[in-house]
């Protein structure tokens, strides 16, 4: 009970003490540093950022008294494949130490510009790092004095420092600019404040905005054929093959998803308009597979765009899930930009991990993308050997967006013709596999994730078995030559 009362009191005094700070969490402060120090180098504009070269090594450094900054630092380190170092004080801070306006330890340190709390250990060979991400909580509008201890302990000449802070309500204020003189010769980038509930996707978007993302994470949408996944630009991994549930209803859908999970598949695609989100959610919840190992995609239909925020909540309620791994707009329609922005907010709220689009092509993307903030993680379009989108796929992939194909077998009365195609059948015979497996493997080797639909457990298992063979360049070209630009659905 005492801890809860303390937490409540601490939150109240935090809000009161920070009320005068900049409340715009998205702004990049260029305010003058505090009177206790003068900057030795001017910060760069945030948008300019730094594009790390392949040899650039990044270290994420953080101090976290309550755990909030720690989680965000771990997100950043994971996204950037960076090393991470926690600033641990020799004497830990207690709840009493952190209580505002009690003349406790934190109060006394922040009121004393010369205070330098001791750190328990040090960074080994800090010289190997070119870029330092520096995270800390806001205390009385400033970085804790232990950050000063850290900065004065090393030579940062020629290094780039990107600060970020956590706070209940204030912006970063001048907490970063007040540190400039403590890291002699460093190049500082404008910092950013984040709230406690900031998602991994938010951190990835910020790092992308600051041009901190590794080159391979920014543009490489290639598949890992060992893990059978692809890393989305949101930082999340997605299986490259799974199950599409279009036309599957109720128990049929439930049984199909259960069969997929039992066979080792982990990717499920559904949509509001399929009327089977509840069945998908039930199969996921009742599975013995941990939720965080399953990747669920659903979509908002244009009829939902006018009240997308409510539609997102309803989708979660129907599925009985705490979050959706990926949500798409089903196809362009009135209000699609506003609906996408509602999904962007849901990412910030932790309701959705990644967002994207379905049935968007080059012309639509050129108009749509400049109007939104978060780059789509995935675009899902009709793709099969008779409709290959050979101009659209590379366009999307060059934007750092993963492509996923629906109707891989042609769909709507064309499946028999496509599976029976002489070229595809001959290639299947050569490898001792089915025509369906050849088509799916062809997609994967083009960098297109696949979600074939089926209610047959044997076919579901077969559609996952795509890694015991590979198509030759000649076979790929033979299938590429089958393109008729023949679209089989109206989207």
């Amino acid at each position: 009970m005492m801890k809860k009362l303390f937490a409540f009191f601490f939150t109240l005094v935090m809000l009161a003490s920070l009320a005068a700070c900049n409340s715009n969490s998205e702004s990049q402060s260029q305010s003058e540093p505090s009177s206790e120090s003068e900057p030795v180098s001017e910060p760069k504009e945030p948008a300019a950022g730094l594009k790390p070269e392949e040899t650039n090594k990044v270290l994420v450094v953080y101090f976290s008294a309550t755990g909030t900054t720690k989680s965000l630092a771990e997100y950043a380190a994971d996204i950037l494949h960076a090393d991470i170092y926690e600033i641990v004080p020799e004497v830990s801070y207690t709840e009493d130490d952190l209580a505002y306006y009690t003349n406790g330890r934190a109060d006394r340190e922040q009121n004393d510009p010369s205070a330098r709390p001791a750190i328990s250990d040090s960074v080994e060979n800090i010289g190997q790092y070119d870029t330092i991400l520096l995270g800390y909580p806001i205390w009385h509008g400033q970085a804790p004095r232990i950050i000063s201890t850290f900065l004065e302990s090393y030579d940062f000449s020629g290094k780039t420092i990107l600060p970020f802070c956590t706070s209940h309500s204030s912006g970063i204020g001048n907490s970063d600019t007040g540190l400039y003189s403590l890291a002699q010769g460093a190049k500082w980038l404008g910092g950013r404040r984040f709230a406690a509930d900031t998602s991994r996707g938010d951190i990835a978007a910020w790092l992308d905005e600051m041009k901190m993302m590794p080159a391979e994470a920014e543009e490489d949408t290639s598949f890992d054929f060992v893990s059978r996944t692809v890393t989305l630009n949101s930082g999340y991994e997605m299986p490259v093959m799974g199950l599409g549930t279009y036309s599957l209803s109720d128990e049929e859908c439930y049984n199909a998803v259960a069969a997929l999970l039992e066979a080792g598949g982990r990717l499920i695609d559904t949509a509001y308009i399929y009327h089977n989100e509840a069945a998908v959610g039930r199969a996921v919840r009742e599975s013995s597979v941990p939720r965080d190992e399953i990747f669920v995609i659903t979509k908002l239909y244009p009829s939902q765009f006018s009240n997308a925020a409510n539609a997102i909540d309803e989708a979660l309620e129907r599925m009985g899930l705490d979050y959706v791994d990926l949500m798409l707009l089903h196809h362009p329609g009135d209000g699609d930009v506003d609906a996408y922005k509602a999904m962007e907010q849901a990412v910030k709220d932790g309701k959705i991990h990644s967002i994207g689009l379905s049935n968007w092509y080059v012309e639509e993307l050129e108009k749509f993308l400049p109007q939104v903030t978060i780059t789509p993680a995935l675009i899902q379009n009709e793709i099969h050997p008779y409709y290959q989108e050979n101009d659209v796929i590379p366009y999307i992939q060059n934007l750092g967006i993963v492509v996923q194909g629906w109707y891989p077998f042609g769909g709507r009365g064309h499946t028999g013709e496509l599976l029976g195609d002489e070229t595809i059948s001959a290639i299947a015979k050569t490898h001792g596999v089915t025509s369906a497996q050849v088509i799916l493997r062809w997609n994967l080797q083009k960098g297109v994730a696949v979600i074939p639909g089926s209610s047959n457990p044997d076919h579901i298992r077969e559609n996952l078995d795509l890694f015991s063979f590979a198509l030759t360049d000649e076979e790929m070209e033979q299938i590429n030559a089958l393109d008729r630009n023949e679209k089989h659905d109206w989207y």
Side-chain angles (χ1 to χ4, degrees), residues 15 18 50 70 72 74 115 124 141 185 188 193 229 234 247 250 257 282 293 319 455:
L15 291 172
L18 297 175
L50 173 73
K70 177 180 180 180
L72 305 191
E74 289 175 343
E124 294 184 8
W188 288 80
R193 168 265 182 188
T229 64
S234 58
S247 80
D250 300 329
V257 173
R282 182 164 65 92
E293 294 181 13
M319 290 188 284
S455 61

Side-chain angles (χ1 to χ4, degrees), residues 12-186:
L12 288 178
V13 295
M14 274 282 285
L15 291 172
S17 66
L18 297 175
C21 296
N22 177 9
S23 62
N24 182 358
S25 64
E26 298 303 321
S27 66
Q28 307 299 311
S29 172
Q30 297 296 329
S31 59
E32 291 297 317
S34 62
S35 59
E36 65 187 82
S37 61
E38 293 297 327
V40 297
S41 61
E42 290 298 322
K44 295 181 179 180
E45 289 293 329
L50 173 73
K51 184 70 168 185
E53 302 297 332
E54 290 184 2
T55 57
N56 182 35
K57 288 202 68 174
V58 180
L59 175 66
V60 178
V61 175
Y62 73 94
F63 168 67
S64 185
T66 62
T68 300
T69 309
K70 177 180 180 180
S71 63
L72 305 191
E74 289 175 343
Y75 286 155
D78 187 49
I79 292 167
L80 296 176
H81 311 297
D83 294 335
I84 190 167
Y85 168 76
E86 180 181 6
I87 298 174
V88 178
E90 281 191 357
V91 179
S92 299
Y93 289 88
T94 67
E95 289 185 350
D96 288 341
D97 291 337
L98 298 175
Y100 268 29
Y101 305 117
T102 62
N103 197 34
R105 177 182 171 189
D107 284 347
R108 295 193 304 272
E109 289 177 354
Q110 294 309 101
N111 288 329
D112 179 5
S114 66
R116 296 294 184 270
I119 298 174
S120 64
D121 59 3
S122 60
V123 179
E124 294 184 8
N125 192 16
I126 199 168
Q128 67 182 306
Y129 300 104
D130 302 292
T131 302
I132 310 293
L133 268 69
L134 181 61
Y136 53 85
I138 290 288
W139 286 3
H140 290 298
Q142 295 295 323
R145 298 299 178 192
I146 199 167
I147 299 298
S148 301
T149 307
F150 171 78
L151 291 173
E152 291 178 341
S153 299
Y154 305 94
D155 180 6
F156 292 95
S157 299
K159 299 184 187 300
T160 296
I161 301 178
L162 175 59
F164 65 96
C165 71
T166 56
S167 171
H168 288 283
S169 60
S170 72
I172 197 166
N174 66 352
S175 70
D176 56 344
T177 57
L179 301 172
Y180 293 157
S181 66
L182 304 179
Q184 297 289 332

Side-chain angles (χ1 to χ4, degrees), residues 226-241:
V226 176
S227 66
R228 304 176 185 183
T229 64
V230 61
T231 301
L232 304 175
N233 60 26
S234 58
Y236 290 94
E237 287 189 351
M238 181 190 77
V240 298
M241 74 292 191

Side-chain angles (χ1 to χ4, degrees), residues 243 252 255-256 258-260 262-263 454-464:
L243 176 70
E252 183 183 41
N255 292 333
L260 175 87
E262 183 178 355
S454 179
S455 61
N456 184 316
D458 291 335
H459 290 166
I460 290 171
R461 285 190 292 271
E462 176 186 298
N463 292 341
L464 296 173

